[in-house]
Amino acid sequence: MDDSKQEMENADKESQNAKEKARTAQEESEKADKQLEKAKENKNKVDGDSNSTPAEKQKADEDVNDAQKKAETAKDNATKAQDESTASEKNAENKKTEYETNKNAHEKSENEANQAAQKAKQAKSDANTARNEATKDPIDCLRYIAVSNPEFYDP
C-alpha cells in the first residue's frame, strides 16, 4: 500500500509540473502572438511609408514571416504541453483511484480478519461452555457429575 501511495504522490507532482509547463508554454505563445502583431504593424507602417526602401520592406516581410513561424511553434508547444498536462492529470487520477481501492481492500481485509478472530474466540468460548454443561444424554450427565465432584447437601 505504501508503494501505491508513493506512486500517487509522484503522479500528483508530475501533474503539477506538467500544468506549470503548459502554463509557461501558453505564456510563450501569447508573447509570440504579440511579437507577430508588432511585426505586422511595423510592416504596415513600412508599406505605407513612401520613403521606405525595398530593403526595409523586405526586412519587414522577413520579420513578419519569422514572427509567424515563432508563433506557430509556440502554439504547437503549448498544445503539446496541454496534452501532456491532461495525460498527466488522468494518470494522477488513476493512481489516486488505485490507491483508494487498495486502501479500501486492505481495510476490508483487516475487518474480515478481525471478525474471523472474534468468531473463533466466540466458538472457543461456546465450546468451553458446552464442555462444562450437562446434556440430555445420560452418559454426559454422569460424566458431568464425575468431573464436578458433587457433594450432597442436606438443607
Side-chain angles (χ1 to χ4, degrees):
M1 190 163 78
D2 290 338
D3 290 341
S4 63
K5 184 175 182 179
Q6 186 66 37
E7 288 177 8
M8 178 188 70
E9 290 171 354
N10 290 341
D12 280 341
K13 288 177 186 175
E14 288 175 16
S15 177
Q16 291 172 355
N17 291 339
K19 285 179 185 177
E20 182 64 26
K21 186 177 177 182
R23 188 185 60 77
T24 302
Q26 184 64 35
E27 289 173 358
E28 290 294 323
S29 176
E30 290 170 2
K31 188 187 290 184
D33 285 341
K34 288 178 183 177
Q35 289 175 345
L36 176 60
E37 288 301 316
K38 287 181 182 179
K40 285 181 179 180
E41 288 174 8
N42 186 40
K43 181 183 182 306
N44 290 337
K45 185 190 268 185
V46 170
D47 286 345
D49 187 3
S50 59
N51 295 331
S52 298
T53 64
E56 289 175 331
K57 290 181 180 182
Q58 184 178 358
K59 172 77 168 110
D61 286 340
E62 289 174 359
D63 288 346
V64 169
N65 289 336
D66 288 344
Q68 282 177 333
K69 288 178 184 176
K70 287 180 182 178
E72 289 173 8
T73 301
K75 285 179 185 177
D76 289 344
N77 289 342
T79 301
K80 287 178 185 176
Q82 187 62 38
D83 291 345
E84 288 175 7
S85 176
T86 302
S88 184
E89 285 180 50
K90 287 180 182 177
N91 183 39
E93 188 62 33
N94 289 341
K95 293 295 181 182
K96 183 177 180 180
T97 302
E98 179 182 335
Y99 170 74
E100 292 295 329
T101 301
N102 288 343
K103 182 180 172 184
N104 291 340
H106 180 72
E107 289 173 356
K108 183 179 178 183
S109 176
E110 282 184 344
N111 289 340
E112 288 173 355
N114 288 339
Q115 288 174 353
Q118 287 175 347
K119 286 181 180 178
K121 187 176 180 180
Q122 183 63 38
K124 183 177 179 182
S125 174
D126 291 347
N128 286 338
T129 302
R131 184 181 57 188
N132 293 333
E133 292 179 0
T135 64
K136 293 181 180 179
D137 183 9
I139 302 297
D140 285 340
C141 291
L142 291 174
R143 230 180 256 127
Y144 180 74
I145 292 171
V147 171
S148 64
N149 295 326
E151 293 181 17
F152 179 74
Y153 178 73
D154 191 11

